[in-house]
Amino acid sequence: MDCVYRNPNAPVEARVKDLLSRMTLKEKIGQMTQIERRVATPDAIKDLSIGSILSAGGSGPSESEKALSSDWANMVDGYQKSALESRLGIPLIYGIDAVHGNNSVYGATIFPHNVGLGATRDADLCRKIGEATALEVRASGIHYTFAPCVAVCRDPRWGRCYESYSEDTVIVRKMTSIVTGLQGQPPHEHPKGYPFVAGRNNVIACAKHFVGDGGTERGINEGDTLLPFEDLERIHMAPYLDCLSQGVSTVMASYSSWNGRRLHADRFLLTEILKEKLGFKGFVISDWEALDRLSEPRGSNYRSCISSAVNAGIDMVMVPLRFELFVEEMMSLAESGEITMARIDDAVERILRVKFVAGLFEFPYTDRSLLDKVGCELHRNLAREAVRKSLVLLKNGKDPKKPFLPLDRNARRILVAGTHADDLGYQCGGWTATWYGGSGRITIGTTILDAIKEAMGDETEVVYEQRPSTDTLAHHNFSFAIVAVGEEPYAETPGDNSELVIPFGGADIISTVAESVPTLVILISGRPLVLEPWLLEKIDALVAAWLPGSEGGGIADVVFGDHEFKGRLPVTWFKRVEQLPLHIGVNSYDPLFPLDFGLTSDKEKSLV
């Protein structure tokens, strides 16, 4: 072959060096540019040698939120065709936030969010979820997921609390096994920090958000983490070591700051620590419009923002919309020497290295044989297992000697109530179908009500009222009630919450039902919420179900006794919001339920 870079048998570094030597400055800058699909035209992709495209939450192949994996594959392959028609034929990396399954695609398996997986403490389960997610992502033509989030969440007021596995660094480190699930198992002698993607059934992973995003003051998203470097390293940076040892291919910088220094412009952390000290050889990507956030007002003095971020160590810029201006300013910065060719070449080498390692030059298009894996029974059963293992039993009976659970599936008549009992969107939470998530049948799955009806005996009457009337409660003689309440879906800054009360009058629904009927409460949330003592006293049993995803059957499996409760709290459950931040390691640790708490169904212990 004339071109070393086109030879699949040549060493990766030789291919990188050969291709880099053939590239113009404009093509190099194009490779450093990631754009949103809404602004991606065939001419722009081909003429600018655009390196990557992403779909933001809800940005799919059509206006419909019910586009299937095959529709996505057709769209991605169309963009890839344009990239391969460029002068050098460098394939695109297509990225998406597949953070709990391929959650943007209708019909994909939706797994519990990370906080629920942290409650399982099951690293092998997490790895298997990564494998299943990779298959479903590749079936849609996509090569790259912006996951996992390995933040250590120290304050539940943070709007991304559910994206963190735990407040405990040890637990977060354990759950980074999802990287191996997504990318494949690197060989034993694989050099630490070098990117690795096993094959066509794997995806490029992204450890995020480097670094300290879960430790900001008062849990403010994109806020400031005030810590000495030794604590930043010990608490927040440690999970990245595990990701690097598994060959994670990319790292995303955080919107947040460290002691007042914006992470996207912090050369010490991005270059001197991550790349030089830790030996990371993949590429560092910015977050969405993160460079715009480096100036006030946002988006002003864009040229200076680009210079600060790229010189700090950002390799690929998630522009994502005004890419013409980004390319123009980058060209000018390079020509003036404000960004050196050495820095640009380093960034492009890293991007090309990941593309070669991931096999994109050999297999740029979708493998359509994977389409039957999307939402398949095997994956849904895995998600159901994850739900079962994530459930944390916080209370079981008013009398320590008389546990309330498991429930009798042959009861004569039962009541199912609450805003979250029959709402698949609420059950899945944010980052499902759209960025913030939504309500109703936004994808294919089983609600809690569906699951209860399937689990009950043929002779049982199941009465469902979202907000039961006093007449219903007084005249139906229910054996017991199951009330599911919790948070509405949210993501990022709109999820920041300083009050943390149960929304939609959830406490009132619980109280009304529990006054009349023995009651199990299932709390659907991305974090601990306020549980007043009077409310806890009224109810008979309480389960923290987190954001379980599409397979509500996992909840019925446990509350009816087919499986044992195994989940343990991944975060401390506070008594009052005034205590926050409350986590392991603080001097005044006086929780409602401590980290690691979790009852089993038959455990004779009162919590109130």
Side-chain angles (χ1 to χ4, degrees):
M1 293 185 181
D2 294 329
C3 301
V4 174
Y5 82 88
R6 292 193 179 277
N7 180 0
N9 299 315
V12 167
E13 294 306 313
R15 298 178 78 182
V16 169
K17 183 178 180 181
D18 178 64
L19 180 50
L20 190 71
S21 72
R22 300 170 185 271
M23 296 174 72
T24 64
L25 173 60
K26 192 173 184 179
E27 287 168 333
K28 290 175 181 178
I29 292 170
Q31 285 299 298
M32 295 174 67
T33 309
Q34 184 181 68
I35 65 176
E36 216 284 329
R37 56 153 290 279
R38 288 169 291 178
V39 297
T41 65
D43 286 346
I45 296 167
K46 184 170 63 175
D47 296 345
L48 296 176
S49 190
I50 293 295
S52 184
I53 296 178
L54 82 150
S55 278
S59 177
S62 68
E63 294 302 315
S64 169
E65 293 176 0
K66 295 187 176 180
L68 301 173
S69 290
S70 55
D71 302 315
W72 283 80
N74 292 338
M75 177 188 73
V76 175
D77 282 354
Y79 292 129
Q80 191 69 281
K81 182 175 182 292
S82 297
L84 296 176
E85 289 172 354
S86 63
R87 185 179 75 90
L88 293 169
I90 305 173
L92 287 165
I93 293 175
Y94 201 104
I96 199 165
D97 285 280
V99 298
H100 64 143
N102 197 15
N103 41 260
S104 294
V105 176
Y106 185 80
T109 310
I110 307 299
F111 295 93
H113 268 298
N114 287 356
V115 67
L117 297 184
T120 73
R121 307 292 199 276
D122 192 333
D124 190 54
L125 174 69
C126 209
R127 177 187 57 78
K128 290 176 181 176
I129 288 171
E131 291 173 353
T133 299
L135 287 171
E136 298 203 15
V137 169
R138 288 307 292 260
S140 65
I142 294 171
H143 324 101
Y144 182 21
T145 174
F146 306 119
C149 176
V150 294
V152 178
C153 177
R154 288 305 181 99
D155 194 321
R157 291 175 290 188
W158 187 34
R160 306 189 80 147
C161 180
Y162 66 80
E163 295 186 56
S164 168
Y165 293 107
S166 179
E167 71 184 43
D168 183 355
T169 304
V170 173
I171 296 171
V172 176
R173 295 188 73 168
K174 183 177 183 180
M175 306 311 283
T176 63
S177 57
I178 196 169
V179 171
T180 291
L182 291 166
Q183 294 194 163
Q185 178 70 53
H188 181 68
E189 69 279 4
H190 190 74
K192 182 179 177 182
Y194 198 86
F196 176 82
V197 182
R200 298 172 66 183
N201 292 344
N202 297 98
V203 293
I204 298 162
C206 179
K208 66 182 189 182
H209 308 84
F210 194 82
V211 60
D213 50 333
T216 59
E217 288 291 288
R218 302 186 304 283
I220 295 172
N221 192 49
E222 302 182 26
D224 198 3
T225 299
L226 304 177
L227 285 175
F229 178 74
E230 293 75 16
D231 290 342
L232 183 77
E233 189 176 40
R234 175 178 56 84
I235 298 168
H236 298 285
M237 199 179 296
Y240 289 89
L241 303 180
D242 301 272
C243 294
L244 294 181
S245 69
Q246 295 172 74
V248 74
S249 293
T250 75
V251 170
M252 184 181 288
S254 177
Y255 283 134
S256 59
S257 301
W258 172 52
N259 295 332
R261 294 159 50 176
R262 302 300 293 266
L263 264 298
H264 273 80
D266 196 320
R267 189 181 188 281
F268 170 70
L269 289 174
L270 296 181
T271 296
E272 294 179 32
I273 298 299
L274 178 60
K275 292 181 176 180
E276 295 174 0
K277 181 181 177 181
L278 301 183
F280 179 55
K281 295 292 188 288
F283 67 78
V284 176
I285 187 169
S286 77
D287 209 333
W288 175 279
E289 290 184 341
L291 273 60
D292 301 59
R293 287 161 160 82
L294 295 177
S295 62
E296 293 294 340
R298 183 180 292 185
S300 63
N301 201 3
Y302 193 41
R303 177 188 175 92
S304 175
C305 295
I306 295 169
S307 177
S308 297
V310 174
N311 281 325
I314 298 293
D315 302 308
M316 181 178 282
V317 177
M318 191 186 293
V319 176
L321 302 175
R322 49 177 182 169
F323 64 93
E324 296 99 334
L325 178 60
F326 172 76
V327 170
E328 178 185 322
E329 296 286 17
M330 272 292 295
M331 289 288 290
S332 174
L333 286 162
E335 288 163 355
S336 70
E338 292 170 73
I339 297 178
T340 66
M341 281 306 302
R343 172 76 272 268
I344 290 171
D345 284 351
D346 172 61
V348 178
E349 283 176 4
R350 291 169 176 275
I351 293 163
L352 295 179
R353 181 178 294 125
V354 171
K355 291 187 177 187
F356 283 122
V357 165
L360 295 187
F361 283 80
E362 287 68 57
F363 304 106
Y365 291 116
T366 309
D367 179 355
R368 306 290 171 129
S369 70
L370 297 176
L371 285 170
D372 63 356
K373 302 291 186 184
V374 178
C376 68
E377 184 178 6
L378 183 67
H379 291 176
R380 292 191 181 276
N381 286 341
L382 179 66
R384 186 167 178 163
E385 176 189 354
V387 174
R388 288 197 296 266
K389 292 181 175 180
S390 70
L391 302 178
V392 180
L393 181 58
L394 297 176
K395 179 178 180 179
N396 189 18
K398 295 177 179 177
D399 183 339
K401 296 182 179 180
K402 294 181 180 179
F404 187 68
L405 299 178
L407 300 174
D408 179 8
R409 67 175 72 245
N410 294 308
R412 189 173 67 85
R413 182 183 295 117
I414 71 165
L415 172 67
V416 179
T419 49
H420 289 56
D422 193 34
D423 196 309
L424 193 61
Y426 284 0
Q427 195 172 295
C428 291
W431 295 110
T432 315
T434 61
W435 179 21
Y436 294 140
S439 176
R441 298 276 174 174
I442 61 174
T443 190
I444 297 170
T446 303
T447 68
I448 295 170
L449 177 63
D450 295 334
I452 291 167
K453 287 180 175 178
E454 289 175 13
M456 296 305 296
D458 294 338
E459 303 302 315
T460 302
E461 179 186 358
V462 179
V463 177
Y464 168 63
E465 284 188 18
Q466 191 177 104
R467 298 175 185 271
S469 65
T470 52
D471 185 65
T472 296
L473 293 167
H475 295 101
H476 279 75
N477 193 25
F478 295 112
S479 299
F480 57 82
I482 300 173
V483 178
V485 294
E487 294 186 292
E488 63 184 322
Y490 54 85
E492 300 190 46
T493 300
D496 284 359
N497 187 334
S498 60
E499 298 179 349
L500 297 177
V501 296
I502 303 173
F504 307 115
D508 292 336
I509 297 173
I510 295 169
S511 178
T512 300
V513 174
E515 287 277 4
S516 305
V517 184
T519 299
L520 161 66
V521 173
I522 298 171
L523 190 60
I524 304 295
S525 68
R527 52 195 163 190
L529 299 176
V530 173
L531 294 171
E532 298 286 0
W534 64 265
L535 190 65
L536 272 176
E537 289 171 6
K538 277 190 175 186
I539 65 179
D540 295 87
L542 173 63
V543 173
W546 313 111
L547 298 170
S550 60
E551 305 313 303
I555 294 174
D557 288 343
V558 181
V559 300
F560 288 105
D562 294 330
H563 293 266
E564 192 64 51
F565 280 94
K566 293 184 176 180
R568 291 181 287 153
L569 285 182
V571 288
T572 298
W573 208 292
F574 59 90
K575 290 180 178 177
R576 304 171 305 279
V577 291
E578 291 78 18
Q579 293 176 292
L580 299 175
L582 182 69
H583 53 77
I584 52 165
V586 298
N587 293 328
S588 54
Y589 192 66
D590 180 29
L592 182 63
F593 304 113
L595 177 77
D596 286 331
F597 185 88
L599 299 174
T600 56
S601 306
D602 59 356
K603 194 168 185 177
E604 296 184 359
K605 182 176 181 180
S606 173
L607 307 186
V608 181

